[in-house]
Amino acid sequence: MKTRINIQRATAIPEIPTDRKIRNWARAALEKRGQDSELTIRIVDMDEGAQLNRQWRKATGPTNVLSFPAEGVEEYAPGLLGDIVICAPVVNNEARIQNKTIDAHWAHMVVHGILHLSGYDHENSKDAEKMEALEIIILDSLGYKNPYI
């Protein structure tokens, strides 16, 4: 299985995990796919996070992670999953508020975003339980605690 993970850093905010860590977390989330995968993870600041959230979700302010699945390109770009946008200041602030390490919360956001690209969602309680259970398993394999307790 070949995996290509492009990382774009569009912010100078400190306390962002290394590319190596981010790729490791992404590969763990992609492991069960069992096929070639390609995606981009873009790390942004508050302004870009808020702009994208407003444009695509019609919501005010930035959010922690946005996922943009690639759809209808399988024939031309097999394995292309899409893009994940992570708003660094939001994720770092959430980690502090929730008394989590920066790495643990970032790992969760990367895994969460990739599961969205892979077709999982949390629009209803049944789907949320399924997605959260998979997140917990993946994060445990990486040495992180259940993020929901």
Side-chain angles (χ1 to χ4, degrees):
M1 176 179 86
K2 188 169 75 173
T3 303
R4 183 171 179 191
I5 303 159
N6 305 301
I7 299 175
Q8 300 174 352
R9 292 174 177 265
T11 182
I13 292 169
E15 295 184 278
I16 297 173
T18 65
D19 288 0
R20 184 178 184 161
K21 286 181 180 180
I22 292 169
R23 284 190 176 95
N24 185 47
W25 301 329
R27 284 188 186 99
L30 294 166
E31 190 173 287
K32 297 211 185 298
R33 273 181 55 85
Q35 60 193 55
D36 291 354
S37 301
E38 181 177 353
L39 66 115
T40 296
I41 299 172
R42 182 171 174 84
I43 303 167
V44 301
D45 59 18
M46 295 288 269
D47 290 340
E48 186 172 346
Q51 186 271 326
L52 289 168
N53 203 26
R54 182 175 47 254
Q55 180 178 352
W56 295 101
R57 294 181 62 227
K58 309 297 183 231
T60 303
T63 189
N64 51 20
V65 62
L66 293 167
S67 298
F68 299 95
E71 297 173 342
V73 299
E74 295 82 10
E75 182 180 342
Y76 308 103
L80 181 62
L81 290 178
D83 302 329
I84 298 169
V85 176
I86 299 175
C87 186
V90 171
V91 173
N92 289 352
N93 189 49
E94 287 175 346
R96 282 187 274 284
I97 290 169
Q98 297 170 19
N99 290 317
K100 297 177 181 175
T101 67
I102 296 288
D103 279 0
H105 197 48
W106 273 83
H108 183 207
M109 294 301 99
V110 170
V111 168
H112 187 87
I114 288 174
L115 290 181
H116 275 306
L117 294 183
S118 300
Y120 291 88
D121 68 48
H122 42 82
E123 295 300 314
N124 61 57
S125 60
K126 183 179 177 182
D127 289 343
E129 286 177 21
K130 188 176 180 180
M131 184 174 180
E132 288 173 9
L134 190 51
E135 288 173 332
I136 291 165
I137 290 167
I138 294 166
L139 291 167
D140 182 65
S141 76
L142 292 164
Y144 298 110
K145 297 178 185 175
N146 178 343
Y148 295 105
I149 57 172

